[in-house]
Amino acid sequence: MGNMTNASLTALRIDAGRLAARIDALAAVGAIEGGGVCRLALSDADRAGRDLVVGWMKELGLSVSIDMIGNVVGVRAGNESGPPVMAGSHIDTVKTGGRYDGNLGVLAGLQVIQTLNDANIVTHRPLAVAFFTNEEGARFNPDMMGSLVYVGGLPLATALATVGIDGQAVGDCLEKVGYGGTAPVGQPQVHAYVELHVEQGPVLDSEGITIGAVEGVQGISWTEFTVTGVSNHAGTTPLRLRHDAAYVACAVASEVREIAHALGGDQVATVGSIQLSPNLVNVIANQAIFTVDLRNTDETRLQEAERLLHEFVAAIAAAEGVTVSHRMLARFEPVAFDPTVVGLVEDTARQLGHTVRRLPSGAGHDAQMLARICPAGMIFVPSVAGISHNVKEFTALPDLEAGANVLLHTLLKLSN
Ligand code: HGY
Ligand code: MN
Ligand code: MN
């Protein structure tokens, strides 16, 4: 560990100004009105963001590899060889993204490397900082695609052949942006994985707590429904003769909220996308394509929510005389993080003098995939008013700094 005493090691801190500057510099790539970011996976903006972060990785002396699904891993040698301790997240965003979702975990990881470089510290195990392709799943389903391929949960060929909401295939887009790498997916193997991320929910902010020791990630169910009815004149068609696809889509959107209320607990339900055709004021829609996002920390209750959803869809389709088909866009069971890593995050936060509490993650994360191959955990910092996937997403610098320091010391403990 270089020439550091334990005391001086414990006193190590990241440079908050550098972290803030990097967050702002990356947020300038794909910047949108209101201070947010649009860097949909494998878009030109994503490429520009990737180029910027890869450049920073190389400046820090990391040896950078790009795998065949475009995951990027920068490794810093340790005194010993073997699987690195990895910090990571994603730098792709939703269309109306904030500047912290994903980006914080990657940039804080790079600040950890810079802090160790400045202090001339070499850890026993190698360290790595990674960003994974298409975590958001907003353009190509499922979400966490790159990390799912990395851990062997989705065949590379299937991922490459996936066609996005704009009709383009992942493989073609990877080539177009120049990030179809040659490194085999799943390399390097990982000793342990820690992801720093904004909470994206209201818990820490509302309780005035700085650090979340994340215990796991709730289950996710994404379904796309296609309703086929009959187009007709909005004025001349009596109700009894209608086969209205828009009516069915909107009825389902309303019913999933009732299902969530009825199940209670952590159950949430969202219809985030509805496309009507022909989408005209005076024409009854003959097609509605819409998505249903169901989540719950409890797998049995999530399955119950899915059952109630499909039961309702079948009933209302029969009543309205429309046909409905559906396909799963994503389905992940709840994941529990490694108790040792959760405890390490909690202890480290306390040792650094921060308030901390345990909580589940409402959002999906790459960490839930890495948990399939190594001990994994997450560090949350507060999202003001719980806002995320919204340009108003905000986390105060002292909280960003606290999270990055907890990441620094958690990684140091795991790598020595
Ligand atoms: O949808 C999610 O939970 C994540 O942002 N991909
Ligand atoms: Mn994220
Ligand atoms: Mn997100």
Side-chain angles (χ1 to χ4, degrees), residues 226-231 243 245-246 275-279 284-289:
T226 300
V227 184
T228 306
V230 177
S231 270
H243 307 288
Q275 291 145 40
L276 298 180
S277 173
N279 204 32
I284 298 169
N286 69 337
Q287 188 185 66
I289 301 175

Side-chain angles (χ1 to χ4, degrees), residues 173-395:
C173 295
L174 262 179
E175 289 315 313
K176 227 181 276 175
V177 298
Y179 274 89
T182 52
V185 295
Q187 296 300 329
Q189 289 176 1
V190 184
H191 175 74
Y193 178 86
V194 185
E195 181 167 353
L196 169 62
H197 205 288
V198 289
E199 180 201 332
Q200 300 181 288
V203 175
L204 296 177
D205 184 50
S206 63
E207 295 180 7
I209 292 178
T210 306
I211 300 294
V214 188
E215 293 179 297
V217 179
Q218 66 179 344
I220 300 177
S221 163
W222 286 0
T223 309
E224 178 191 78
F225 289 94
T226 300
V227 184
T228 306
V230 177
S231 270
N232 216 325
H233 194 297
T236 60
T237 312
L239 295 185
R240 60 187 166 76
L241 297 181
R242 292 185 179 216
H243 307 288
D244 184 341
Y247 163 71
V248 169
C250 296
V252 175
S254 164
E255 178 64 15
V256 292
R257 172 65 69 91
E258 298 316 315
I259 289 171
H261 277 309
L263 284 170
D266 295 324
Q267 186 62 50
V268 288
T270 311
V271 171
S273 160
I274 297 183
Q275 291 145 40
L276 298 180
S277 173
N279 204 32
L280 299 170
V281 61
N282 57 355
V283 180
I284 298 169
N286 69 337
Q287 188 185 66
I289 301 175
F290 65 97
T291 58
V292 177
D293 177 325
L294 300 172
R295 309 207 194 188
N296 199 312
T297 51
D298 178 308
E299 174 62 16
T300 309
R301 301 178 73 77
L302 182 55
Q303 289 179 17
E304 176 64 3
E306 289 174 318
R307 188 187 66 77
L308 293 169
L309 164 63
H310 286 283
E311 205 173 74
F312 179 80
V313 169
I316 191 154
E320 185 66 11
V322 299
T323 56
V324 182
S325 64
H326 71 273
R327 66 188 179 107
M328 289 307 290
L329 301 180
R331 183 63 170 91
F332 301 120
E333 295 196 3
V335 170
F337 288 137
D338 181 279
T340 311
V341 179
V342 178
L344 202 53
V345 168
E346 195 175 39
D347 293 347
T348 305
R350 287 207 178 98
Q351 285 155 14
L352 293 175
H354 299 304
T355 50
V356 56
R357 65 157 281 176
R358 293 179 175 223
L359 76 169
S361 173
H365 298 288
D366 294 310
Q368 75 187 85
M369 302 307 172
L370 275 289
R372 297 187 187 191
I373 61 168
C374 69
M378 292 188 77
I379 305 162
F380 273 173
V381 287
S383 294
V384 171
I387 299 282
S388 184
H389 284 189
N390 178 318
V391 297
K392 295 202 176 347
E393 179 184 273
F394 182 73
T395 299

Side-chain angles (χ1 to χ4, degrees), residues 52-191:
L52 188 60
V53 175
V54 167
W56 289 337
M57 285 181 164
K58 289 179 175 169
E59 279 170 20
L60 289 170
L62 299 182
S63 68
V64 179
S65 66
I66 302 171
D67 75 13
M68 299 165 96
I69 193 64
N71 297 321
V72 176
V73 182
V75 178
R76 181 180 194 261
N79 285 321
E80 301 160 0
S81 58
V85 172
M86 181 183 277
S89 197
H90 61 96
I91 61 171
D92 65 299
T93 73
V94 294
K95 215 182 273 183
T96 54
R99 59 182 53 205
Y100 306 100
D101 179 356
N103 303 309
L104 172 62
V106 177
L107 297 179
L110 294 184
Q111 282 311 307
V112 166
I113 300 297
Q114 185 145 18
T115 305
L116 298 181
N117 286 354
D118 294 351
N120 189 21
I121 292 175
V122 181
T123 50
H124 288 317
R125 290 191 177 88
L127 289 175
V129 179
F131 60 82
F132 297 97
T133 296
N134 184 35
E135 186 279 344
E136 290 295 357
R139 182 183 181 196
F140 306 102
N141 311 126
D143 53 349
M144 288 77 74
M145 178 187 273
S147 50
L148 184 60
V149 172
Y150 192 94
V151 302
L154 179 69
L156 173 65
T158 308
L160 295 174
T162 300
V163 174
I165 57 175
D166 50 14
Q168 298 186 59
V170 166
D172 297 339
C173 295
L174 262 179
E175 289 315 313
K176 227 181 276 175
V177 298
Y179 274 89
T182 52
V185 295
Q187 296 300 329
Q189 289 176 1
V190 184
H191 175 74

